[in-house]
Amino acid sequence: MSISTPFHSRKDSDVYHVCGNCKDAQNIPLEHRVNGKGDGRLCQECERLQKEGGC
Ligand SMILES: [Zn+2]
């Protein structure tokens, strides 16, 4: 398990991530990462990973 504090991309505040294993999250350059949920909803991939225990 590698659930981290919620973070999102400053370029896309519609979705936030919680899983270090999320591909979309990994595509966010470190300099674009912002802690917090922004204005968004949980990323679908993160949600799936959490359900499957692969987060
Ligand atoms: Zn995600």
Side-chain angles (χ1 to χ4, degrees):
M1 298 285 275
S2 62
I3 296 177
S4 52
T5 51
F7 63 93
H8 62 280
S9 166
R10 71 172 81 246
K11 300 272 187 187
D12 180 8
S13 59
D14 290 343
V15 181
Y16 70 90
H17 305 273
V18 292
C19 293
N21 289 334
C22 173
K23 289 190 188 74
D24 289 344
Q26 289 171 352
N27 282 336
I28 302 174
L30 277 179
E31 64 266 31
H32 290 171
R33 287 193 187 198
V34 187
N35 282 337
K37 296 180 178 179
D39 308 317
R41 54 186 166 70
L42 178 61
C43 158
Q44 286 189 335
E45 179 74 356
C46 286
E47 192 176 10
R48 187 180 68 78
L49 288 168
Q50 277 188 318
K51 279 186 188 145
E52 295 179 357
C55 189

